[in-house]
Amino acid sequence: MNKIIEIQTLGDPGLDVFSTLTEAQLRNQLEPEKGIFIVESPKVIRVALDAGYEPLSLLCERRHIEGDAADIVARCADIPVYTGSRELLASLTGYTLTRGVLCAMRRPQPRSVEATLKDARRVVVIHGVVDTTNIGAIFRSAAALGIDAVLLTRDSCDPLNRRAVRVSMGSVFLVSWTWLDAPVTSLAALGFKTVAMALTDKSVSLDDPRLKQEPRLALVMGTEGDGLPHDVVAQTDYVVRIPMAHGVDSLNVAAAAAVAFWELRDRAIR
């Protein structure tokens, strides 16, 4: 049965995960098994629970305990539920809660690249993308458009960042992902041809028929401003551009990813 805890002060024990801990502290890189992340809004929390993520505690507006979050409270019967007024919770977190509910969850154990890509045919490598909104949007498009897995370089934003999770609408829980510490050339050993999304003299069109014939493709997407580093582009099997009109030469990385995912999707997906 839930332990409902009425918040008396902002310094109550157990509230630090929702207030004072930074994203880096939540990740706990020195002890990954103790890492935590925060999920916001009932809809996204339900997606995480359905995907098997472990809840640790809830922060919930009083009115939602028997309202919008009643089913979540019931599913998380063995964890503490901290509650208070909307104004008090906003003072605690520094922002008004979306739909009035936050859930602290245990970070999953990191997966190897080999395990993540075991049955994958279409994957994306996110290289140096730091904007939380773009990360969330890329994951949402990946889930919707048939991308089997996501790899991220260590200089990219954490997919379990609170805002990235919310923007993705929980899609970060639906697509397998892990960190890529080796060069993109390492994916060749796993049977993948790599595709750099970049403008160069050697770029081929996204609708080039050779791309769709490849059994396993890894699309490499670069940073919001500078794109992919030249050395990364040089390491890939294909360099690809999206044909555009009116002299436009680039799209936001999340928009470009969605276009590329759709065009290069596994043709078995309709």
Side-chain angles (χ1 to χ4, degrees), residues 19 49 53 68-69 89 94-95 145 150 155 162-164 197 200 205 216 220 228 232 239 247 250 259 269:
S19 57
L49 292 173
Y53 284 76
D68 288 352
L89 299 193
Y95 54 88
L145 300 176
V150 179
D155 55 351
R162 181 183 63 84
R163 181 171 175 78
M197 300 298 297
T200 72
S205 176
R216 306 186 94 183
V220 188
L228 289 169
V232 173
V239 184
S250 65
V259 173
I269 297 172

Side-chain angles (χ1 to χ4, degrees), residues 44 135-137 139-140 159 163-173:
V44 180
I135 291 291
F139 266 87
R140 190 171 185 182
R163 181 171 175 78
V165 170
R166 179 160 60 86
V167 171
S168 82
M169 293 301 293
S171 295
V172 295
F173 309 126

Side-chain angles (χ1 to χ4, degrees), residues 145-244:
L145 300 176
I147 294 299
D148 301 309
V150 179
L151 304 177
L152 303 100
T153 58
R154 294 283 181 174
D155 55 351
S156 294
C157 170
D158 174 24
L160 296 183
N161 171 282
R162 181 183 63 84
R163 181 171 175 78
V165 170
R166 179 160 60 86
V167 171
S168 82
M169 293 301 293
S171 295
V172 295
F173 309 126
L174 303 178
V175 182
S176 296
W177 66 271
T178 196
W179 301 103
L180 179 66
D181 293 317
V184 295
T185 52
S186 65
L187 299 180
L190 299 176
F192 283 88
K193 294 292 187 180
T194 50
V195 178
M197 300 298 297
L199 290 174
T200 72
D201 293 338
K202 297 182 180 180
S203 296
V204 300
S205 176
L206 181 63
D207 58 3
D208 189 304
R210 292 174 295 172
L211 298 172
K212 299 173 186 178
Q213 293 169 4
E214 294 287 359
R216 306 186 94 183
L217 278 179
L219 282 69
V220 188
M221 311 295 301
T223 64
E224 295 86 348
D226 299 328
L228 289 169
H230 295 302
D231 61 327
V232 173
V233 173
Q235 293 171 5
T236 58
D237 298 296
Y238 296 96
V239 184
V240 170
R241 58 178 171 77
I242 299 173
M244 300 183 198

